[in-house]
Amino acid sequence: TACACGLLSLLKPMEWASAFMPVLPLSLLGFVNSPVPFVAGVPVDDNYRLMEVETDERVTQAMESGMSVINLHTNTLLITTEKGVSQMLSLDPYLREQLDFLSTRLQHYAREKSSAIHSFPRFIRDGLSRKESVTMHSVSHAFEQHFVRYCGDLATTGNAWKRYGTIDVKTGNFNFYPAWFMNPIR
């Protein structure tokens, strides 16, 4: 879906380098238990089907193993129940404040019948208004700045990755040590 594509743009300055399925049909819902990271859009027709997907055993199992779900019908984020992940993903207070403010603006636009945010066909036909465009850009910019802060020197220095691991002299492989990267952030 367009929303899955939009989600990828929020990852800037990083780029998604794994499986991406803008539309994952319900008949292939078992893919959510795949051992690879993925971004997928699962379109549903009504609230009943939405509840079926959210309570599907395959989905609940995947959520125990690292999968999170963004529900666009209810505007909720269901974060994985995998141990330790919710603490790691907690937003810094500054980003949370920015996103709360921008969310309020987007909700206001979505209530306006003339808004392109309210209507996907209108968005395709007319695009976003100037105010809507500035707000969407601000959302993207807030995430980008958060990731730059989170990545530290990885976002600004080309060889910074070398500080977070060692090269095995026998094999020539780079061994990444996540704790070396995460400790300064904590």
Side-chain angles (χ1 to χ4, degrees):
T1 63
C3 298
C5 295
L7 179 63
L8 294 185
S9 71
L10 292 177
L11 294 176
K12 288 180 183 173
M14 295 178 267
E15 293 183 20
W16 186 251
S18 193
F20 174 61
M21 297 146 293
V23 177
L24 180 65
L26 291 177
S27 61
L28 297 176
L29 194 59
F31 182 82
V32 299
N33 286 304
S34 171
V36 299
F38 64 90
V39 172
V42 180
V44 294
D45 297 329
D46 54 43
N47 287 336
Y48 176 76
R49 292 292 255 177
L50 176 63
M51 194 163 93
E52 273 187 335
V53 169
E54 286 185 341
T55 58
D56 187 287
E57 182 179 353
R58 297 166 294 184
V59 171
T60 57
Q61 284 177 336
M63 289 189 68
E64 292 170 2
S65 301
M67 185 178 81
S68 294
V69 175
I70 299 173
N71 182 329
L72 298 175
H73 289 273
T74 61
N75 296 319
T76 55
L77 171 62
L78 307 171
I79 294 177
T80 179
T81 55
E82 184 178 9
K83 185 179 178 186
V85 173
S86 62
Q87 180 185 357
M88 182 181 76
L89 293 178
S90 63
L91 294 178
D92 70 64
Y94 177 70
L95 178 62
R96 182 173 297 282
E97 183 179 317
Q98 280 186 306
L99 293 178
D100 286 345
F101 171 73
L102 294 169
S103 174
T104 301
R105 284 175 47 186
L106 289 173
Q107 289 171 12
H108 170 76
Y109 297 141
R111 284 190 297 272
E112 293 179 2
K113 294 293 181 193
S114 62
S115 171
I117 293 174
H118 180 72
S119 166
F120 188 70
R122 186 175 296 124
F123 170 75
I124 295 297
R125 186 184 68 234
D126 302 330
L128 296 173
S129 72
R130 175 137 173 79
K131 289 180 180 180
E132 292 167 340
S133 182
V134 167
T135 301
M136 294 302 287
H137 176 75
S138 297
V139 170
S140 178
H141 184 71
F143 275 108
E144 183 173 348
Q145 291 304 305
H146 173 72
F147 285 130
V148 166
R149 283 192 304 277
Y150 180 76
C151 293
D153 57 355
L154 290 175
T156 57
T157 308
N159 291 328
W161 58 271
K162 292 179 181 179
R163 293 186 201 138
Y164 305 109
T166 59
I167 295 184
D168 184 322
V169 291
K170 291 179 183 176
T171 65
N173 292 334
F174 180 77
N175 298 313
F176 174 67
Y177 299 110
W180 292 9
F181 175 71
M182 294 302 292
N183 282 338
I185 295 172
R186 290 182 184 150

